[in-house]
């Protein structure tokens, strides 16, 4: 190459610095072409994502299952730490969804476009709603008197009707109700006008004899039936129980409470999702109240307090109608009773109206959800 050619080339480079830059860049890049696969144009470089602003993460093939593949150059210890962080976050996310009352996506749901099972979501929300809405059974304390009976003691407190946002209903509410009890329940059957309800009651019935093979009288037919079989074959929405008067001189209060609990647990097993009402035993008149025997209001109150402790305010409620019929000292008013124990027929309308005003209203989904949850496995006894 002569001097004139060299001089012309230099002048071109001097006047065109861009050409010089291209030449220098090419000299640097070409030796590195094998490392970055410069000549392999068919290979695509995946997008790079950052986790916590540090380690680069490449999206893997299994993105639908949220599997993360870290870049090869990440140090092994960092890989494990990052994977652990992701796993922890995913577990927290799932826990958050569960706490929010949403169901997990099943495999078949994912195959159908990943849509949530709306019925399952609503069912779970109903369960949570049922848990959030519950009543409280309160007790009013007083100074107990000393007793020497082996059947009872003075409870030193009175149980109040479970505090709850009850609904006011009419007779139709009781069309899927069953009443279980003794002669007082028989009075409700005869005079309260709840013709749509089923009554299983007898004079002298006790919490111990309720499920015995001798049976209980079904008031619509007057025939003895096996209550165990009835409760396993027919579905009820509500069950009212009032038993305790004929147990005053049999066993003690703790024994009574344990048997009452067994009866409730058995009913809930046979009738999942049912609402159970524990009705307080009505006090007796001053004339009938006899502290020399077991037939007295202290013993009745002891039994009432024991049964009220079984109310959880969610599907078991305690109802006390005594304030409707007793005086300031807690005795059954003489003018309301013909024998000091049972009401005259014309006064059962007050009892009926009390029941009308204390109805637990559940949404259909809530009841179904509680059945599914298996709420009948026990009770939360009030303290």
């Amino acid at each position: 190459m002569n001097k004139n050619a060299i001089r012309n080339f230099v002048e071109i480079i001097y006047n065109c610095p861009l050409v010089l830059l291209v030449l220098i860049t090419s000299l640097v890049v070409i030796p590195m072409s094998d490392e970055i696969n410069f000549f392999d144009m068919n290979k695509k470089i995946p997008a790079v994502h950052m986790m916590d602003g540090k380690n680069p993460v490449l999206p893997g093939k299994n993105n639908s299952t949220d599997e993360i593949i870290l870049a090869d150059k990440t140090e092994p210890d960092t890989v494990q730490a990052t994977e652990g962080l992701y796993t922890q976050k995913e577990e927290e996310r799932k826990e958050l969804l569960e706490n929010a009352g949403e169901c997990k996506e099943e495999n078949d749901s994912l195959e159908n476009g990943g849509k949530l099972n709306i019925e399952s979501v609503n069912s779970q929300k109903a369960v949570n709603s049922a848990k959030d809405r519950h009543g409280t059974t309160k007790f009013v304390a007083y100074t107990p008197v000393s007793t020497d009976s082996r059947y009872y003691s003075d409870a030193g407190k009175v149980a109040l009707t479970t505090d709850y946002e009850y609904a006011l209903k009419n007779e139709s509410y009781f069309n899927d109700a069953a009443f279980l009890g003794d002669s007082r329940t028989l009075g409700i059957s005869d005079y309260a006008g709840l013709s749509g309800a089923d009554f299983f009651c007898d004079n002298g019935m006790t919490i111990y004899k309720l499920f015995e093979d001798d049976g209980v009288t079904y008031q619509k037919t007057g025939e003895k039936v096996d209550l165990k079989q009835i409760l396993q074959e027919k579905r009820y929405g509500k069950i009212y129980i009032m038993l305790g008067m004929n147990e005053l001189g049999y066993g003690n209060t703790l024994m009574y409470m344990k048997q009452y609990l067994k009866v409730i647990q058995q009913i809930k097993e046979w009738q999942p999702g049912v609402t159970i009402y524990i009705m307080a035993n009505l006090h007796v008149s001053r004339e009938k109240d006899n502290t020399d025997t077991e037939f007295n209001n202290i013993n009745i109150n002891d039994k009432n307090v024991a049964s009220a402790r079984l109310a959880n305010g969610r599907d078991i409620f305690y109802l006390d109608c005594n304030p409707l019929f007793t005086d300031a000292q807690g005795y059954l008013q003489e003018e309301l009773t013909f024998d000091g124990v049972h009401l005259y027929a014309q006064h059962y309308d007050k009892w009926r109206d009390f029941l009308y005003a204390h109805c637990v209203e559940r949404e259909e989904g809530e009841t179904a959800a509680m059945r599914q949850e298996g709420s009948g496995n026990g009770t939360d006894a009030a303290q």
Side-chain angles (χ1 to χ4, degrees):
M1 181 179 296
N2 56 35
K3 293 182 178 180
N4 291 332
I6 294 174
R7 185 169 51 253
N8 292 335
F9 180 76
V10 171
E11 289 177 356
I12 293 172
I13 296 301
Y14 179 78
N15 293 322
C16 300
L18 181 60
V19 176
L20 178 61
L21 180 61
V22 172
L23 289 174
I24 294 174
T25 302
S26 300
L27 292 175
V28 174
V29 171
I30 291 174
M32 300 172 58
S33 60
D34 289 341
E35 182 178 351
I36 65 173
N37 299 308
F38 182 81
F39 297 109
D40 187 1
M41 302 304 294
N42 293 325
K43 185 173 182 179
K44 297 181 179 179
I45 299 177
V48 177
H49 301 279
M50 301 302 293
M51 178 175 289
D52 294 338
K54 297 179 181 179
N55 304 312
V57 180
L58 304 181
K61 296 180 180 180
N62 297 320
N63 287 331
S64 61
T65 57
D66 294 328
E67 180 179 346
I68 297 298
I69 302 175
L70 296 177
D72 293 340
K73 290 189 177 181
T74 307
E75 295 297 329
D77 292 342
T78 307
V79 173
Q80 294 178 3
T82 308
E83 288 177 339
L85 176 64
Y86 177 79
T87 302
Q88 179 181 356
K89 294 295 183 183
E90 177 64 10
E91 290 176 351
E92 292 176 356
R93 184 186 71 84
K94 292 180 179 179
E95 181 179 358
L96 180 61
L97 287 177
E98 292 174 355
N99 292 339
E102 296 188 13
C103 64
K104 297 180 180 178
E105 294 180 348
E106 303 293 341
N107 291 334
D108 55 352
S109 297
L110 291 173
E111 293 175 359
N112 294 325
K115 295 181 179 179
L116 286 173
N117 187 326
I118 301 302
E119 292 183 359
S120 298
V121 173
N122 291 338
S123 178
Q124 185 61 46
K125 287 182 179 179
V127 171
N128 292 343
S129 175
K131 290 179 179 179
D132 292 338
R133 296 192 307 110
H134 67 277
T136 303
T137 304
K138 299 178 181 179
F139 300 82
V140 177
Y142 62 86
T143 302
V145 299
S146 177
T147 61
D148 57 0
S149 173
R150 61 192 178 105
Y151 297 101
Y152 69 96
S153 61
D154 193 333
K157 53 186 175 182
V158 175
L160 305 181
T161 293
T162 301
D163 187 14
Y164 187 79
E165 294 183 5
Y166 296 102
L168 177 63
K169 296 291 184 178
N170 55 31
E171 183 182 348
S172 63
Y173 178 82
F174 301 88
N175 289 343
D176 64 344
F179 285 76
L180 319 179
D182 51 31
S183 57
R184 266 107 170 254
T185 307
L186 185 59
I188 297 175
S189 173
D190 290 341
Y191 306 116
L194 302 178
S195 59
D198 287 344
F199 284 83
F200 303 92
C201 45
D202 281 309
N203 291 324
M205 179 54 61
T206 71
I207 195 72
Y208 306 102
K209 300 193 304 183
L210 194 62
F211 292 149
E212 286 187 351
D213 294 335
D214 292 342
V216 186
T217 302
Y218 179 40
Q219 295 302 317
K220 286 185 177 179
T221 64
E223 299 178 351
K224 291 279 188 178
V225 296
D226 185 348
L227 188 57
K228 301 187 300 297
Q229 181 179 355
I230 296 293
L231 293 179
Q232 292 177 73
E233 293 179 351
K234 183 173 181 178
R235 178 70 63 192
Y236 290 101
K238 311 100 184 176
I239 292 183
Y240 293 78
I241 309 173
M242 184 169 58
L243 290 166
M245 288 297 293
N246 299 303
E247 294 87 337
L248 295 179
Y250 181 85
N252 57 33
T253 301
L254 180 59
M255 178 179 172
Y256 166 80
M257 181 180 178
K258 289 181 177 180
Q259 182 62 24
Y260 216 127
L261 176 60
K262 287 176 61 177
V263 167
I264 288 178
Q265 289 175 328
Q266 186 62 78
I267 290 175
K268 293 180 71 175
E269 179 181 335
W270 290 335
Q271 299 279 324
V274 71
T275 300
I276 297 177
Y277 297 91
I278 298 173
M279 294 199 295
N281 293 286
L282 197 61
H283 289 184
V284 296
S285 66
R286 182 185 295 273
E287 182 182 358
K288 282 290 184 180
D289 184 66
N290 187 354
T291 55
D292 292 332
T293 67
E294 286 66 49
F295 199 81
N296 57 69
N297 285 333
I298 294 178
N299 193 2
I300 294 173
N301 182 64
D302 197 32
K303 301 298 186 290
N304 284 344
V305 168
S307 62
R309 292 180 61 196
L310 304 179
N312 59 23
R314 192 157 68 93
D315 56 357
I316 308 174
F317 299 82
Y318 177 75
L319 301 181
D320 181 18
C321 68
N322 273 290
L324 295 175
F325 307 111
T326 56
D327 58 23
Q329 288 73 43
Y331 296 108
L332 180 62
Q333 298 177 43
E334 298 284 353
E335 64 271 20
L336 303 181
T337 175
F338 58 90
D339 61 357
V341 178
H342 301 87
L343 297 174
Y344 284 117
Q346 63 267 30
H347 299 302
Y348 278 95
D349 59 344
K350 293 182 181 179
W351 206 327
R352 177 200 61 213
D353 292 343
F354 174 83
L355 295 177
Y356 282 175
H358 293 82
C359 296
V360 173
E361 188 175 35
R362 290 186 187 163
E363 298 178 0
E364 182 177 352
E366 181 180 329
T367 304
M370 294 188 70
R371 288 175 182 170
Q372 185 177 8
E373 185 191 35
S375 63
N377 293 331
T379 62
D380 303 322
Q383 297 301 318

